[in-house]
C-alpha cells in the first residue's frame, strides 16, 4: 500500500537587486542529454536522503522532506491538483529503477498565502 504525503509550498522574496549577484552568460545544460551533471560531480548513492523527485508522469521538480508526512518545494512547482503529483524518495538515478525508491501520492497542497503566480 502506498503512503500519502502533503506538500507544503513556499516562495522566495527577492530583495534589493543591488544586493543580488550579477548574472553572467546564460547557463547551458549539456548534462541533460549526455549523462553528466552540469557544474558538479555525481552525488554518492543516497547522500541526500531528504530529497524527493516530484513527478507529473515523469520528473517535474524536486522537494525536501521536512517530516515523515510533509515535503516542501517551490510554489511554482505545484500549481495543479494534488492527485497530479507523485513523490519519489530514495532514488539515485531517475532513469533507472533500483528497488530502493519509495513512492507517495500527494494528498494536500498548501500554498504560502503571499504567493502570487504572476
Amino acid at each position: 500500500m502506498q503512503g500519502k504525503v502533503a506538500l507544503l509550498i513556499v516562495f522566495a522574496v527577492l530583495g534589493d537587486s543591488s544586493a543580488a549577484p550579477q548574472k553572467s552568460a546564460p547557463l547551458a545544460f549539456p548534462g541533460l542529454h549526455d549523462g553528466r551533471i552540469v557544474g558538479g560531480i555525481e552525488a554518492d548513492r543516497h547522500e541526500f536522503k531528504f530529497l524527493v523527485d516530484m513527478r507529473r508522469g515523469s520528473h517535474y521538480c524536486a522537494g525536501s522532506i521536512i517530516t515523515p508526512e510533509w515535503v516542501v518545494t517551490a510554489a511554482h512547482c505545484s500549481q495543479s491538483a494534488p492527485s497530479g503529483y507523485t513523490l519519489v524518495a530514495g532514488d539515485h538515478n531517475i532513469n533507472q529503477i533500483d528497488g530502493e525508491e519509495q513512492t507517495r501520492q500527494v494528498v494536500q497542497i498548501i500554498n504560502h498565502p503571499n504567493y502570487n503566480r504572476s
Side-chain angles (χ1 to χ4, degrees):
M1 181 171 128
Q2 289 185 347
K4 296 182 179 183
V5 67
L7 198 58
L8 180 64
I9 309 305
V10 297
F11 72 103
V13 177
L14 298 177
D16 180 4
S17 63
S18 63
Q22 298 301 313
K23 288 187 175 183
S24 56
L27 295 174
F29 294 98
L32 292 177
H33 302 289
D34 64 10
R36 293 181 297 136
I37 296 174
V38 178
I41 59 171
E42 184 170 337
D44 291 334
R45 185 171 284 287
H46 309 300
E47 181 177 358
F48 301 103
K49 297 176 188 247
F50 53 87
L51 294 180
V52 296
D53 182 18
M54 205 171 149
R55 297 180 181 176
R56 291 182 66 192
S58 61
H59 173 73
Y60 179 70
C61 244
S64 295
I65 299 169
I66 56 174
T67 75
E69 284 120 14
W70 287 94
V71 167
V72 64
T73 190
H76 71 273
C77 290
S78 56
Q79 296 304 299
S80 296
S83 61
Y85 300 100
T86 302
L87 303 178
V88 180
D91 200 2
H92 179 70
N93 181 336
I94 63 173
N95 297 314
Q96 294 177 348
I97 297 173
D98 65 14
E100 297 183 37
E101 299 87 351
Q102 295 182 36
T103 303
R104 301 291 185 266
Q105 181 62 51
V106 174
V107 295
Q108 181 181 10
I109 294 174
I110 300 174
N111 283 303
H112 190 285
N114 294 335
Y115 174 66
N116 180 336
R117 192 176 201 174
S118 61

